[in-house]
Amino acid sequence: MSALHSDPRETPASSLQLPPGAWATLLDGLCARFPQIDRAQWLDRFARGRVLDSERQPLSADAPYRVGATIHYFREVADEPRIPFEETILHVDEHLVVADKPHFLPVAPAGIHVRETLLTRLVERLGNPDLAPLHRIDRGTAGLVLFSADKRSRDAYQALFRERRMEKRYEAVAPGLPELRFPLLRESRLVQGEPFFRMREDEGEANSRARIEVLQSGGKWWRYALFPVSGRKHQLRVQMAALGAPIRHDPYYPELTVQAADDYSRPLQLLARGLSFVDPLSGVLRVFESRRELESLD
């Protein structure tokens, strides 16, 4: 799926390529694809022009279901909770936007979060419907997120991540590991865990690597610098927990302790501190630094 906008003030739409299925109508197919959304809600979306074809034209509920066709639909959540933290825009030019994200704010629409996302807020603030995130960080993680501002140059910047030419630096607060020698290279194989949104380490060839350094030590809590070489989901959180130093206030690792609502007094102590890269268009070295800070080690 991807994001799409018809109006800079509009919540980003999601794009879907229709999967194989023998449904007669688009309505039937969407009801089967998203069983958590009842039929009446889909009918209401069709009636309000909230389901579009690839040319951004409204579709009718009885439109035939065509496997492989691309549609766009606007996700809606009733009574979406307001996330009471604000992002900071660090840089804007014709190609890139760099934002400093607070804890708890998702990068893009997902689950119960539609309007309360970094992407939606930036589209509205900057009036640029072509904004698209070039990478993601977890909702619980604070720090830097890089956005493409121009579709024509987007692939050049996406290649920085695909080809690992983007240097990423994180900071974390976690228990001390006095028995280990630093800097340390953690290499492990990450696979999907249980429930589906968690990851775990497994036997086999490593598919994730990170260099770990100590910035501050001495008591129960240490401050670490983390340099991921790969970009696997929850990679740093899983690897730190596996070393015996789960990141402070992590509700997923090493054990799942998800609460009914966000506890704003206990943000995950993980920060996307820095991004540096050689700009593929200008050839100039660009360095960005988060202005946010993690908790003290008290």
Side-chain angles (χ1 to χ4, degrees):
M1 296 185 184
S2 61
L4 160 90
H5 321 272
S6 56
D7 185 317
R9 299 163 297 176
E10 178 65 89
T11 301
S14 294
S15 300
L16 172 68
Q17 186 174 49
L18 298 179
W23 300 284
T25 68
L26 181 56
L27 173 63
D28 291 337
L30 289 175
C31 288
R33 175 69 174 79
F34 301 102
Q36 73 276 17
I37 302 174
D38 63 39
R39 192 177 186 88
Q41 188 172 347
W42 277 118
L43 284 168
D44 181 61
R45 289 188 191 182
F46 277 106
R48 291 184 290 115
R50 305 288 283 176
V51 183
L52 312 176
D53 65 16
S54 60
E55 301 300 320
R56 305 188 186 188
Q57 298 302 308
L59 287 161
S60 63
D62 60 358
Y65 186 92
R66 293 191 171 91
V67 174
T70 297
I71 66 163
H72 310 295
Y73 64 95
F74 291 86
R75 300 176 64 254
E76 298 174 342
V77 175
D79 302 319
E80 181 179 356
R82 168 71 181 171
I83 297 174
F85 306 105
E86 297 299 323
E87 71 284 354
T88 302
I89 298 176
L90 300 181
H91 173 85
V92 178
D93 64 34
E94 61 181 317
H95 299 290
L96 294 175
V97 173
V98 182
D100 203 356
K101 186 183 83 69
H103 294 287
F104 301 105
L105 183 68
V107 171
I112 65 170
H113 303 285
V114 178
R115 293 200 60 82
E116 287 297 287
T117 70
L118 183 59
L119 174 59
T120 304
R121 289 183 181 184
L122 292 179
V123 166
E124 184 171 345
R125 284 180 63 177
L126 298 174
N128 182 357
D130 289 331
L131 278 181
L134 292 167
H135 64 120
R136 307 290 178 95
I137 61 176
D138 298 340
R139 187 169 77 88
T141 303
L144 301 183
V145 183
L146 191 64
F147 288 80
S148 164
D150 187 335
K151 291 184 288 188
R152 294 169 296 181
S153 59
R154 185 162 299 158
D155 187 66
Y157 289 98
Q158 288 175 329
L160 295 173
F161 292 91
R162 291 196 306 267
E163 298 168 9
R164 298 181 180 176
R165 292 185 283 126
M166 175 71 65
E167 182 172 328
K168 297 172 284 186
R169 176 167 57 91
Y170 287 73
E171 287 184 16
V173 173
L177 293 169
E179 69 280 5
L180 298 181
R181 296 183 62 183
F182 293 90
L184 179 150
L185 179 64
R186 180 69 177 184
E187 299 182 293
S188 58
R189 181 171 184 80
L190 294 187
V191 299
Q192 185 172 311
E194 292 291 340
F196 69 92
F197 53 80
R198 296 177 77 228
M199 302 293 286
R200 63 180 176 85
E201 290 190 336
D202 200 3
E203 298 293 330
E205 182 179 357
N207 60 9
S208 61
R209 295 170 178 81
R211 189 174 83 255
I212 304 170
E213 300 178 1
V214 176
L215 296 176
Q216 188 178 354
S217 62
K220 174 183 178 181
W221 299 104
W222 288 13
R223 193 178 306 277
Y224 297 88
L226 311 173
F227 300 86
V229 178
S230 51
R232 298 283 173 174
K233 177 182 175 181
H234 295 177
Q235 174 183 327
L236 298 176
R237 298 166 66 176
V238 175
Q239 291 182 323
M240 289 298 290
L243 286 171
I247 296 172
R248 193 176 192 180
H249 305 325
D250 193 333
Y252 288 3
Y253 306 99
E255 301 296 332
L256 181 61
T257 58
V258 177
Q259 300 180 6
D262 289 328
D263 183 348
Y264 293 144
S265 69
R266 293 171 57 85
L268 176 71
Q269 290 302 285
L270 182 61
L271 173 67
R273 170 64 73 187
L275 290 171
S276 61
F277 58 96
V278 175
D279 191 287
L281 302 185
S282 68
V284 173
L285 175 64
R286 308 185 78 169
V287 179
F288 297 101
E289 190 91 2
S290 172
R291 298 173 185 171
R292 301 181 185 275
E293 298 293 339
L294 298 178
E295 294 174 357
S296 69
L297 301 189
D298 297 341

